[in-house]
Amino acid sequence: MAPQRAVRLSLKKPTYAVCVVGVETYVDVHSNVPKGAESFEVSGSSGVKISVVYDPAQGTEPTGKARWPLGAKVDVIMSVDTASKDLSDLKVKVSYFRKHEDSALGQSMLYLTGVDISLDVDTSRKGRVKRNRGDKKTWHWGPEGYGAVLLVNCDRDNPRSRHPDLADSRLTSLDDLKDMSPMVLTCDGPDKFFDSHKLVLNVPFSDSKRVGVFCAQGGNSLSDYKQVLGPRHLSYNVERQPGERKIRFYVEGLTFPDADFLGLVSLSVSLVDMGNLPEEVPLFTDTVVFRMSPWIMTPNTQHPLELYVCSVLDRHGSNEKFLKDISALVSKANCKLIICPWVENRNDRWIQDEMEFGYVEAPHKSFPVVFDSPRDRGLKDFAYKKILGPDFGYVTREISFAGASGLDSFGNLDVSPPVTVGGKEYPLGRILIGSNFPRSGGRRMAKVVRDFLKAQQVQAPVELYSDWLSVGHVDEFLSFVPTSDKKGFRLLLASPSVCLKLFREKKEEGYGEAAQFDGLEHQAKRSINEMLADRRLRNDSLYVQKCIDWNRELLKQELGLVERDIVDIPQLFVMRGSRAEAFFPDMVNMVVLGKHLGIPKPFGPIINGRCCLEEKVRSLLEPLGLHCTFINDYLSYHKLQGEIHCGTNVRREPFSFKWWHMVP
């Protein structure tokens, strides 16, 4: 432990000093020495630990009646292990001698007051504060790492409040303390000592808008808790009561990591001498560092908890039948169904585009957080007004000038299951977003959203090429499903090539007149023969396949996948101008509820009484232990350029893996 302070002794009068428990103090035995003195000896009262540090090359430790030489490089270090009961109740005596004389030429007396000052947080990440005399100023990732964690206090524990808790400088609910990380200030020492010394908590100006600190002053009722550090308070003179040895604080995060914020904040306490000096001088400072919990997405492989869907009405009527089918699927999956009524969605059915569920976690607590997209259509107020609440947080990012594009909707935001890529582990998966083709013009997700996702660090984003689609969302050509084998999942990709191959096989088997869209009232039928003979449909599909294949290779590279990890789902697309749309309901745009899949009913050619597209998908997925339910979304969703995934949203269980155990 490196010395923290130096104390200079005097031969003429006693010296008085403060010694902080666990902190080494250098005693200057060389500056004020009696004339003719060549050696010294040092002793202290019980409770004072004295060490003499010397250079073995210039001398040895004295034995018998021998003393320490003054000429050599010899230093005296002292420390105390406990706080004093009274002022100056510890002492150190230094005696100086001539060579070969037993009588001291002079003596210096040092009277010490030991005080125990320490600022402690949950550096070990065990969910409780433990005294730590080690490194509290740095934060380290990994299973052997250390450093405290803060939750962004973005929920609303008081239902009467209009804002998230982080917007309030006053505590509005005692439950809110559970969202905050505890911090304990040890302040043990004689009460009279604190008449001339004070403790000051500080937050750097750059961190003051990122963190808030609360403390109970005079009691434990709601009104007793005050914010003592935060955007309006850079320092706080600690109000220590007589006999008080520990003071408990509660620390909240105010902002998520972002492009201008790495996620680290620091707090410090200083022991300040208020007397006998022209200026207040800090005698000791202790600093702790927190990292803000990132916002973490959950992939399809996580167990479903709640499914959200909208009740809507259009020229074809209500989507009541669709809601009944979804309700039956939810019952099979044993999760909760939440229907957003028309009055709350204002006929905006695309609830996946409006928001994305994730969570935040600290060792002492975790809660879900909804990320509200910047698209702001009919559902724009739903997340804030209906989801934000006790232990359910809210975050959003706003686009300042140009406004949102289609790629800013969260159907264009997905996350893979955990993967390992070239030895690099991503235990929380990787975020996937759709974008334009590299180094080309076109649509791209807003920088403010991309920056936010990247800054979370724990799910390194991958940009895919989705601008070839009219809507432009990644959920139009990919999905993930859970499996019970070692891999744990499969990547599903829409495949025009597989679809055309299936139709050719059925033609060769003599089913060329079987028709796509058979049974649909609002869509002309197309026989297999007609579709295969349609040069435009064939060319469109070949172009789309090239776009998907480009993403396929990128996904294999960025997610560490091989071909056996990918399942090709038959799907045709047609070009509308320069961009593509699904020719029939897009089956890969499904909702995944554990082993139960809600798949858009494709209305494929009926062969031997069964839809050949459905049969093909069953043959691909059911051997993996999955259960396929095909749901009619044709009028309510497909004709409006969306499918089941677009019209539903699932909140899932958090990962059991702790994000701080990874190394980004």
Side-chain angles (χ1 to χ4, degrees):
M1 189 185 299
Q4 298 292 309
R5 299 180 59 242
V7 175
R8 186 171 182 176
L9 302 181
S10 171
L11 293 168
K12 296 180 179 180
K13 60 181 181 179
T15 302
Y16 295 87
V18 178
C19 198
V20 177
V21 170
V23 177
E24 294 179 339
T25 301
Y26 168 72
V27 182
D28 183 358
V29 299
H30 300 284
S31 295
N32 197 345
V33 178
K35 186 176 181 180
E38 296 183 10
S39 63
F40 74 94
E41 62 182 19
V42 58
S43 62
S45 58
S46 61
V48 181
K49 181 180 178 181
I50 298 174
S51 303
V52 180
V53 182
Y54 64 97
D55 183 357
Q58 298 189 22
T60 59
E61 185 173 353
T63 58
K65 293 185 178 181
R67 302 182 179 94
W68 290 101
L70 281 167
K73 291 185 177 180
V74 178
D75 293 326
V76 176
I77 306 296
M78 66 177 182
S79 62
V80 298
D81 293 328
T82 58
S84 295
K85 297 187 182 301
D86 297 300
L87 289 175
S88 306
D89 63 354
L90 303 171
K91 66 180 179 180
V92 173
K93 181 173 72 173
V94 179
S95 302
Y96 298 94
F97 300 86
R98 282 195 178 96
K99 192 173 184 180
H100 306 306
E101 290 187 7
D102 293 333
S103 299
L105 278 175
Q107 293 180 335
S108 295
M109 292 300 299
L110 172 60
Y111 290 94
L112 297 173
T113 301
V115 293
D116 193 1
I117 307 298
S118 182
L119 194 60
D120 291 289
V121 292
D122 181 18
T123 54
S124 61
R125 304 168 186 163
K126 298 289 180 60
R128 61 186 182 275
V129 177
K130 187 177 179 180
R131 180 67 177 265
N132 185 353
R133 293 180 180 173
D135 182 9
K136 297 182 279 188
K137 293 183 179 180
T138 58
W139 202 97
H140 291 271
W141 296 88
E144 304 301 321
Y146 54 88
V149 175
L150 278 185
L151 295 175
V152 177
N153 197 9
C154 57
D155 68 337
R156 183 170 57 199
D157 286 310
N158 185 345
R160 291 183 300 236
S161 176
R162 295 184 177 181
H163 309 287
D165 293 335
L166 57 81
D168 288 320
S169 58
R170 296 180 299 107
L171 197 67
T172 59
S173 169
L174 289 175
D175 286 338
D176 197 22
L177 296 174
K178 299 174 184 177
D179 300 337
M180 303 184 193
S181 295
M183 180 172 72
V184 177
L185 172 61
T186 301
C187 50
D188 193 8
D191 289 339
K192 289 184 179 180
F193 173 82
F194 292 99
D195 291 340
S196 57
H197 296 78
K198 65 180 179 179
L199 293 166
V200 182
L201 274 180
N202 294 283
V203 58
F205 176 76
S206 59
D207 292 344
S208 62
K209 62 182 178 180
R210 320 250 184 227
V211 66
V213 179
F214 285 82
C215 182
Q217 299 173 325
N220 288 307
S221 65
L222 192 62
S223 59
D224 292 321
Y225 284 89
K226 308 295 182 184
Q227 189 182 77
V228 297
L229 292 180
R232 299 179 182 178
H233 310 284
L234 299 182
S235 65
Y236 166 64
N237 292 338
V238 176
E239 297 178 8
R240 179 188 180 274
Q241 302 302 315
E244 195 168 19
R245 296 180 178 181
K246 293 185 182 294
I247 301 175
R248 194 171 181 88
F249 296 88
Y250 298 87
V251 188
E252 64 174 347
L254 303 181
T255 59
F256 281 94
D258 215 323
D260 60 348
F261 175 43
L262 295 176
L264 293 174
V265 294
S266 66
L267 300 171
S268 63
V269 64
S270 294
L271 175 63
V272 176
D273 186 348
M274 298 186 294
N276 303 322
L277 294 169
E279 295 183 4
E280 295 183 349
V281 177
L283 303 178
F284 168 75
T285 297
D286 202 14
T287 301
V288 296
V289 168
F290 294 88
R291 181 176 289 279
M292 217 69 72
S293 168
W295 178 77
I296 304 170
M297 290 180 65
T298 51
N300 285 351
T301 47
Q302 294 300 110
H303 180 73
L305 298 174
E306 298 172 333
L307 182 143
Y308 289 73
V309 65
C310 293
S311 173
V312 293
L313 185 67
D314 55 32
R315 62 188 180 92
H316 299 294
S318 74
N319 65 339
E320 183 178 357
K321 177 62 168 64
F322 176 81
L323 295 180
K324 287 181 179 179
D325 292 340
I326 288 292
S327 179
L329 181 70
V330 166
S331 296
K332 292 178 185 177
N334 196 28
C335 66
K336 182 179 179 181
L337 177 65
I338 298 175
I339 297 177
C340 172
W342 185 91
V343 69
E344 293 174 3
N345 65 55
R346 292 180 288 184
N347 233 33
D348 180 2
R349 69 200 70 204
W350 309 118
I351 198 164
Q352 177 61 50
D353 288 344
E354 183 58 38
M355 61 191 189
E356 184 68 48
F357 289 111
Y359 68 96
V360 293
E361 184 174 23
H364 68 284
K365 186 169 184 181
S366 173
F367 58 78
V369 176
V370 61
F371 186 9
D372 194 359
S373 82
R375 73 187 278 270
D376 287 349
R377 296 188 189 175
L379 280 161
K380 67 177 182 177
D381 297 325
F382 179 70
Y384 193 85
K385 290 184 176 180
K386 297 300 179 179
I387 296 180
L388 170 63
D391 287 341
F392 211 128
Y394 173 92
V395 65
T396 191
R397 287 295 179 267
E398 296 181 353
I399 301 173
S400 301
F401 302 108
S405 77
L407 271 64
D408 297 316
S409 298
F410 285 170
N412 194 35
L413 173 63
D414 207 336
V415 64
S416 79
V419 293
T420 300
V421 186
K424 169 67 175 175
E425 294 183 353
Y426 296 91
L428 302 175
R430 300 191 69 178
I431 287 173
L432 307 175
I433 59 175
S435 189
N436 55 9
F437 195 76
R439 297 178 296 279
S440 71
R443 297 170 297 173
R444 194 179 185 192
M445 182 176 280
K447 186 176 185 299
V448 67
V449 179
R450 287 185 282 117
D451 286 347
F452 173 83
L453 297 172
K454 182 179 179 182
Q456 307 313 303
Q457 296 193 63
V458 296
Q459 296 176 305
V462 178
E463 283 196 61
L464 302 175
Y465 173 38
S466 67
D467 192 34
W468 55 273
L469 287 153
S470 293
V471 175
H473 296 176
V474 293
D475 68 353
E476 297 177 77
F477 66 89
L478 69 80
S479 185
F480 294 93
V481 293
T483 60
S484 56
D485 56 9
K486 184 178 180 181
K487 186 67 180 180
F489 71 91
R490 294 292 187 275
L491 167 65
L492 308 186
L493 288 178
S495 177
S497 295
V498 166
C499 190
L500 291 172
K501 180 182 177 183
L502 175 66
F503 285 170
R504 284 194 293 268
E505 290 172 354
K506 297 306 174 185
K507 177 181 179 180
E508 291 171 3
E509 293 170 7
Y511 299 109
E513 292 305 315
Q516 182 72 37
F517 307 122
D518 194 3
L520 276 176
E521 298 179 5
H522 302 278
Q523 179 66 47
K525 299 177 184 179
R526 298 287 301 277
S527 71
I528 290 177
N529 289 334
E530 289 173 334
M531 290 187 289
L532 291 176
D534 188 333
R535 181 179 299 177
R536 179 184 174 189
L537 180 60
R538 186 171 65 251
N539 290 339
D540 289 353
S541 294
L542 290 174
Y543 169 76
V544 167
Q545 188 65 59
K546 289 180 181 179
C547 295
I548 295 174
D549 286 346
W550 189 91
N551 286 296
R552 184 192 203 93
E553 294 307 310
L554 183 62
L555 286 161
K556 287 163 65 175
Q557 174 184 326
E558 296 294 340
L559 300 184
L561 304 179
V562 294
E563 280 298 320
R564 65 175 175 271
D565 302 325
I566 303 172
V567 178
D568 292 301
I569 302 298
Q571 186 65 48
L572 293 183
F573 292 82
V574 293
M575 302 300 292
R576 304 293 186 199
S578 61
R579 295 188 170 102
E581 298 174 5
F583 177 60
F584 53 80
D586 189 352
M587 290 185 286
V588 82
N589 192 285
M590 64 180 70
V591 64
V592 179
L593 301 177
K595 300 288 186 181
H596 296 275
L597 311 181
I599 305 173
K601 186 175 181 60
F603 293 97
I606 304 298
I607 297 173
N608 296 326
R610 295 179 178 271
C611 169
C612 67
L613 289 172
E614 291 184 19
E615 290 300 293
K616 177 64 174 178
V617 171
R618 290 186 194 277
S619 72
L620 293 169
L621 300 182
E622 290 184 350
L624 298 174
L626 301 168
H627 305 287
C628 301
T629 299
F630 292 90
I631 297 174
N632 182 359
D633 73 345
Y634 194 84
L635 292 179
S636 295
Y637 295 89
H638 172 72
K639 291 295 285 184
L640 300 174
Q641 295 185 295
E643 309 287 357
I644 294 177
H645 185 261
C646 308
T648 58
N649 208 315
V650 181
R651 182 171 75 86
R652 303 179 184 276
E653 283 186 351
F655 285 99
S656 60
F657 180 87
K658 306 304 180 186
W659 62 265
W660 51 85
H661 285 167
M662 72 176 292
V663 179

